[in-house]
Protein backbone atom coordinates (compact mmCIF):
# COMPACT_ATOMS: atom_id res chain seq x y z
CA UNK A 1 0.00 0.00 0.00
CA UNK A 2 1.22 3.50 -0.76
CA UNK A 3 1.06 6.47 1.63
CA UNK A 4 -1.71 7.99 -0.51
CA UNK A 5 -3.54 4.66 -0.70
CA UNK A 6 -3.46 4.25 3.07
CA UNK A 7 -4.83 7.76 3.60
CA UNK A 8 -7.54 7.30 0.97
CA UNK A 9 -8.65 4.07 2.62
CA UNK A 10 -8.71 5.75 6.03
CA UNK A 11 -10.81 8.61 4.65
CA UNK A 12 -13.23 6.16 3.05
CA UNK A 13 -13.56 4.19 6.29
CA UNK A 14 -14.02 7.34 8.39
CA UNK A 15 -16.87 8.38 6.12
CA UNK A 16 -18.39 4.93 5.69
CA UNK A 17 -17.86 4.95 1.92
CA UNK A 18 -17.26 1.72 0.01
CA UNK A 19 -14.64 1.39 -2.69
CA UNK A 20 -17.42 0.82 -5.21
CA UNK A 21 -19.28 3.99 -4.15
CA UNK A 22 -16.16 6.12 -4.37
CA UNK A 23 -15.17 4.65 -7.73
CA UNK A 24 -18.62 5.40 -9.15
CA UNK A 25 -18.50 8.99 -7.87
CA UNK A 26 -15.05 9.51 -9.41
CA UNK A 27 -16.03 7.76 -12.66
CA UNK A 28 -13.22 5.21 -12.40
CA UNK A 29 -13.41 1.45 -11.96
CA UNK A 30 -13.35 -0.02 -8.48
CA UNK A 31 -10.50 -2.26 -9.70
CA UNK A 32 -8.44 0.84 -10.56
CA UNK A 33 -9.22 2.49 -7.23
CA UNK A 34 -8.31 -0.71 -5.37
CA UNK A 35 -5.04 -0.95 -7.30
CA UNK A 36 -4.32 2.70 -6.50
CA UNK A 37 -4.91 2.08 -2.79
CA UNK A 38 -2.79 -1.09 -2.75
CA UNK A 39 0.14 0.36 -4.67
CA UNK A 40 -0.34 -1.67 -7.81
CA UNK A 41 -0.89 1.56 -9.78
CA UNK A 42 1.27 4.65 -9.80
CA UNK A 43 0.26 7.95 -8.36
CA UNK A 44 -2.92 9.40 -9.85
CA UNK A 45 -2.94 12.22 -12.35
CA UNK A 46 -3.28 15.73 -10.97
CA UNK A 47 -6.82 15.83 -12.35
CA UNK A 48 -7.86 12.63 -10.55
CA UNK A 49 -6.12 13.73 -7.36
CA UNK A 50 -8.12 16.98 -7.48
CA UNK A 51 -11.33 14.95 -7.93
CA UNK A 52 -10.37 12.78 -4.91
CA UNK A 53 -9.76 15.91 -2.81
CA UNK A 54 -13.09 17.35 -3.93
CA UNK A 55 -14.87 14.04 -3.27
CA UNK A 56 -13.68 13.98 0.33
CA UNK A 57 -14.35 17.72 0.71
CA UNK A 58 -11.21 18.16 2.79
CA UNK A 59 -9.82 21.44 4.10
CA UNK A 60 -6.75 23.06 2.55
CA UNK A 61 -4.21 21.56 4.95
CA UNK A 62 -5.51 18.07 4.34
CA UNK A 63 -5.69 18.68 0.59
CA UNK A 64 -2.02 19.68 0.64
CA UNK A 65 -1.24 16.56 2.67
CA UNK A 66 -2.96 14.38 0.06
CA UNK A 67 -0.92 16.09 -2.67
CA UNK A 68 2.29 15.51 -0.67
CA UNK A 69 1.36 11.85 -0.13
CA UNK A 70 0.67 11.45 -3.86
CA UNK A 71 4.21 12.64 -4.61
CA UNK A 72 5.55 9.96 -2.24
CA UNK A 73 3.36 7.18 -3.63
CA UNK A 74 5.08 5.91 -6.75
CA UNK A 75 5.37 2.16 -6.04
CA UNK A 76 7.87 1.58 -8.86
CA UNK A 77 10.43 4.27 -8.25
CA UNK A 78 13.73 4.25 -10.17
CA UNK A 79 16.85 5.72 -8.61
CA UNK A 80 19.65 6.90 -10.89
CA UNK A 81 22.93 6.93 -8.95
CA UNK A 82 25.11 7.67 -11.96
CA UNK A 83 27.62 10.34 -11.03
CA UNK A 84 27.04 9.94 -7.30
CA UNK A 85 29.41 8.45 -4.74
CA UNK A 86 29.80 4.65 -4.86
CA UNK A 87 28.13 4.52 -1.45
CA UNK A 88 24.92 5.87 -3.02
CA UNK A 89 24.82 2.98 -5.48
CA UNK A 90 25.59 0.47 -2.76
CA UNK A 91 22.92 1.89 -0.46
CA UNK A 92 20.33 1.87 -3.24
CA UNK A 93 21.07 -1.75 -4.12
CA UNK A 94 21.10 -2.90 -0.49
CA UNK A 95 17.79 -1.18 0.15
CA UNK A 96 16.25 -2.74 -2.98
CA UNK A 97 17.37 -6.20 -1.85
CA UNK A 98 16.28 -5.82 1.78
CA UNK A 99 13.17 -3.65 1.75
CA UNK A 100 10.77 -6.59 1.64
CA UNK A 101 12.40 -8.09 4.74
CA UNK A 102 12.11 -4.97 6.90
CA UNK A 103 9.22 -4.52 9.30
CA UNK A 104 7.26 -1.30 9.81
CA UNK A 105 9.42 -0.20 12.76
CA UNK A 106 12.61 -0.63 10.71
CA UNK A 107 11.13 1.33 7.82
CA UNK A 108 9.99 4.15 10.09
CA UNK A 109 13.43 4.32 11.74
CA UNK A 110 15.19 4.44 8.36
CA UNK A 111 12.78 7.08 7.02
CA UNK A 112 13.17 9.21 10.15
CA UNK A 113 16.96 9.04 10.03
CA UNK A 114 17.00 9.85 6.32
CA UNK A 115 14.73 12.85 6.84
CA UNK A 116 16.87 14.04 9.75
CA UNK A 117 20.13 13.75 7.84
CA UNK A 118 18.76 15.18 4.60
CA UNK A 119 17.40 18.26 6.36
CA UNK A 120 20.74 19.10 8.04
CA UNK A 121 22.48 22.07 6.42
CA UNK A 122 25.60 21.11 4.51
CA UNK A 123 28.84 22.62 5.70
Amino acid sequence: MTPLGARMRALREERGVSLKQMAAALNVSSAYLSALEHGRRGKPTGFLLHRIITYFNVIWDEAEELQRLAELSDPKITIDTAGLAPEATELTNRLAAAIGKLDADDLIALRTELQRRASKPRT
Side-chain angles (χ1 to χ4, degrees):
M1 187 169 285
T2 65
L4 177 64
R7 185 66 190 127
M8 284 174 46
R9 176 176 281 181
L11 286 167
R12 279 193 313 99
E13 289 174 354
E14 289 168 12
R15 289 163 169 79
V17 176
S18 73
L19 189 71
K20 190 173 183 177
Q21 290 169 322
M22 183 176 170
L26 295 175
N27 199 30
V28 297
S29 73
S30 55
Y32 171 78
L33 204 53
S34 176
L36 187 61
E37 282 189 3
H38 288 92
R40 292 187 301 271
R41 294 296 301 247
K43 63 184 181 178
T45 64
F47 180 70
L48 179 56
L49 182 59
H50 178 72
R51 287 175 36 210
I52 292 167
I53 289 167
T54 302
Y55 177 77
F56 286 122
N57 194 29
V58 295
I59 60 173
W60 287 110
D61 289 346
E62 194 162 10
E64 288 175 0
E65 177 68 2
L66 287 172
Q67 291 171 334
R68 186 187 70 76
L69 292 174
E71 290 303 315
L72 298 172
S73 292
D74 186 347
K76 297 181 181 179
I77 192 74
T78 301
I79 301 173
D80 181 1
T81 61
L84 299 178
E87 293 81 7
T89 301
E90 180 184 357
L91 174 62
T92 302
N93 281 275
R94 286 184 182 275
L95 183 59
I99 198 157
K101 300 172 189 165
L102 300 173
D103 65 22
D105 289 340
D106 293 331
L107 295 169
I108 290 168
L110 285 169
R111 181 189 65 198
T112 301
E113 183 63 15
L114 178 62
Q115 288 171 326
R116 184 185 73 76
R117 289 177 179 238
S119 66
K120 284 177 28 179
R122 291 191 153 188
T123 54

